Amino acid sequence: MDTQPGQPASHVLRRGTMAQPKGTVILAYSGGLDTSCILVWLKEQGYDVVAYLANIGQKEDFEAARKKALALGAKKVYVEDVCREFVEEFIWPAVQANAVYEDRYLLGTALARPCIARGLVGVAQKEGARHVAHGATGKGNDQVRFELTCYALCPSIKVVAPWRLPEFYQRFPGRRELMDYAQKHGIPVPVTPQTPWSMDENLMHISYEAGILENPKNPAPPGLYTKTCDPATSPDTPDVLEIEFEKGVPVKVTNVGDGTVRRSALELFMYLNDIAGKHGVGRIDIVENRFVGMKSRGIYETPAGTILYHAHLDIEAFTMDREVRKIKQGLSLKFSELVYNGFWHSPEGEFLRHCIARSQQAVAGTVRLSVFKGHVSILGRASPCSLYNEELVSMNVQGDYEPADATGFININSLRLKEYHRLQSKVTAKQAE
């Protein structure tokens, strides 16, 4: 069958027959190679495609991406700016939690996925679509994160995941085949088969993986990092910042040097990104455990998130009761695991966020810190809710504390140790007989 004038090539199937109509599908669209090919492929399968593009802080020409999707045959394109809600509804709870996965990963991608998927479901409901689709691979975490959010928010939704369908991944076993398909269908793509790694960016971070990075021995090549400067060549003068918190959330940042002040959530976060990026703060290179069971190597830049992690950790230790903090640390560990694995919209996830938010009621005050040569250094802190008693802890003032009481405290705590080692001595003596 020949293409009719003005009709996209994607309407024509390889065998010359039209697929049966399957209704509307909302595609999480990025404008890149994978989702552009998927858009055309979905049309080949008989779907009317509505593209959903979330502006979550990535560097992207959204108008160009919209035009590209329409040119490829999308029936409609939604471009939604979700940056503010990403910060306020997803990043801030993570800051309150001191969320970090496996001791190092600050969860930039994992936090973004439920935010994007929520918008995807919203468009599906608005359009009356029964299907949504995404371009996540069948080996990664993002397929789980997208789909668990979709099913939680709309249990009747059907998900089309091309990279898990044999008819798709057998047809496109590698990037070369995708590139050939793109060229055949007139899909303009900004990458070539020689691109040595893949990237995923949002307001909080950027990740690099695959390609030459799959060998964990290979160091990050020159030119890889895009959000942060090389710490070795960063400015020789630090930026000193004061970050004010209320209920565990940053509400104001002041640059002590030049007097710059930012208060709104989005502006504050973007400013910290700029300052941290200028000084090379927020780089990590790790091997992590994916939810699906394999280990993967990822390189991440999380500039503002790194500053806020250190600042919040400090003000929380200053204002929170010791035993409450021990419990909260356990909750934070579970929170991070749930976010990483895609369970943001689970009952246990909602419960944890409620508990963590309750723990933050008195986490208020100001942290002064230095950002310099890849490091965040705490310089001081002040809080009206501080549990720190300078007189009580002073070596120069006795205060409301009787040093002689420590003798009994030590005696009681040493009792268990004395008994344990007394018994161990007997066992060792018997074994030596």
Side-chain angles (χ1 to χ4, degrees):
M1 180 186 295
D2 294 328
T3 304
Q4 297 299 315
Q7 182 182 27
S10 56
H11 282 281
V12 184
L13 297 184
R14 287 181 298 173
R15 292 194 173 97
T17 59
M18 298 298 291
Q20 291 297 315
K22 294 179 180 177
T24 299
V25 61
I26 314 300
L27 171 65
Y29 183 69
S30 71
L33 174 65
D34 286 33
T35 55
S36 293
C37 290
I38 286 171
L39 192 161
V40 175
W41 183 83
L42 287 169
K43 289 186 64 62
E44 286 184 344
Q45 309 312 303
Y47 290 101
D48 288 326
V49 181
V50 172
Y52 173 73
L53 179 56
N55 173 2
I56 198 160
Q58 70 272 40
K59 291 182 179 67
E60 179 69 65
D61 185 337
F62 295 101
E63 180 58 22
R66 185 187 70 82
K67 290 179 179 178
K68 181 178 179 180
L70 290 172
L72 295 176
K75 183 175 71 172
K76 192 182 295 186
V77 179
Y78 286 82
V79 179
E80 185 178 13
D81 188 334
V82 297
C83 288
R84 183 187 57 79
E85 59 197 78
F86 179 43
V87 174
E88 295 179 349
E89 300 176 35
F90 294 87
I91 296 177
W92 279 180
V95 170
Q96 289 179 309
N98 298 324
V100 58
Y101 179 72
E102 294 187 340
D103 303 316
R104 292 184 288 178
Y105 174 46
L106 293 175
L107 298 164
T109 298
L111 289 165
R113 294 316 187 214
C115 183
I116 296 170
R118 185 174 70 178
L120 189 69
V121 169
V123 171
Q125 293 171 331
K126 181 177 180 179
E127 291 289 326
R130 295 185 297 111
H131 297 85
V132 296
H134 61 77
T137 72
K139 286 187 175 182
N141 296 307
D142 284 340
Q143 57 180 337
V144 183
R145 295 163 179 162
F146 273 123
E147 295 182 35
L148 290 184
T149 295
C150 290
Y151 290 133
L153 298 180
C154 185
S156 63
I157 202 76
K158 304 297 181 185
V159 178
V160 181
W163 284 115
R164 296 206 306 269
L165 299 175
E167 60 267 33
F168 186 87
Y169 66 70
Q170 289 175 3
R171 183 176 177 183
F172 304 109
R175 308 302 282 179
R176 177 71 265 169
E177 289 77 14
L178 276 177
M179 289 297 298
D180 291 344
Y181 182 82
Q183 291 170 2
K184 179 180 177 182
H185 290 83
I187 301 172
V189 289
V191 296
T192 67
Q194 287 75 43
T195 302
W197 57 77
S198 66
M199 299 183 292
D200 184 79
E201 183 184 17
N202 62 52
L203 185 66
M204 186 177 183
H205 91 157
I206 187 167
S207 63
Y208 309 90
E209 60 183 10
I212 62 172
L213 302 179
E214 288 179 349
N215 184 340
K217 289 176 61 178
N218 291 337
L224 177 138
Y225 294 102
T226 61
K227 276 187 178 287
T228 60
C229 297
D230 183 346
T233 58
S234 63
D236 293 326
T237 303
D239 273 291
V240 176
L241 306 177
E242 289 185 347
I243 302 176
E244 184 178 335
F245 289 86
E246 292 179 5
K247 296 183 178 180
V249 170
V251 294
K252 179 183 177 183
V253 60
T254 303
N255 189 313
V256 175
D258 62 18
T260 299
V261 175
R262 296 289 185 271
R263 286 188 172 87
S264 75
L266 184 55
E267 288 184 358
L268 184 156
F269 197 82
M270 292 174 67
Y271 180 71
L272 290 179
N273 264 341
D274 291 341
I275 294 296
K278 180 173 77 171
H279 291 282
V281 164
R283 297 181 174 189
I284 60 168
D285 182 336
I286 64 173
V287 172
E288 69 199 63
N289 289 294
R290 286 181 180 171
F291 188 31
V292 294
M294 65 188 77
K295 291 184 183 292
S296 67
R297 192 268 188 96
I299 297 176
Y300 302 103
E301 295 176 273
T302 315
T306 300
I307 290 178
L308 290 173
Y309 175 79
H310 289 288
H312 180 269
L313 200 62
D314 190 81
I315 197 68
E316 184 177 85
F318 194 47
T319 56
M320 185 176 286
D321 174 77
R322 180 186 70 179
E323 297 305 314
V324 172
R325 190 160 183 267
K326 286 180 182 178
I327 295 171
K328 194 260 182 179
Q329 285 176 308
L331 297 180
S332 297
L333 191 65
K334 186 62 179 177
F335 173 92
S336 303
E337 179 185 293
L338 290 176
V339 171
Y340 186 86
N341 292 343
F343 289 92
W344 182 273
H345 290 288
S346 64
E348 65 272 30
E350 292 176 6
F351 173 74
L352 275 178
R353 290 196 297 278
H354 175 79
C355 292
I356 290 170
R358 177 63 183 83
S359 77
Q360 300 296 292
Q361 294 304 302
V363 179
T366 301
V367 177
R368 178 178 283 223
L369 53 83
S370 168
V371 187
F372 187 56
K373 298 289 185 185
H375 296 284
V376 178
S377 303
I378 303 297
L379 303 178
R381 76 286 294 160
S383 171
C385 304
S386 168
L387 295 178
Y388 181 87
N389 185 328
E390 187 174 354
E391 183 179 278
L392 182 62
V393 78
S394 174
M395 294 294 185
N396 299 316
V397 181
Q398 182 171 323
D400 189 20
Y401 179 82
E402 180 54 62
D405 292 344
T407 302
F409 178 79
I410 294 169
N411 286 339
I412 292 296
N413 278 282
S414 69
L415 181 62
R416 175 177 60 89
L417 304 181
K418 290 176 181 178
E419 287 302 296
Y420 173 79
H421 288 285
R422 181 180 63 80
L423 179 60
Q424 288 299 107
S425 296
K426 285 185 176 180
V427 171
T428 303
K430 274 192 175 182
Q431 290 174 343
E433 290 178 359

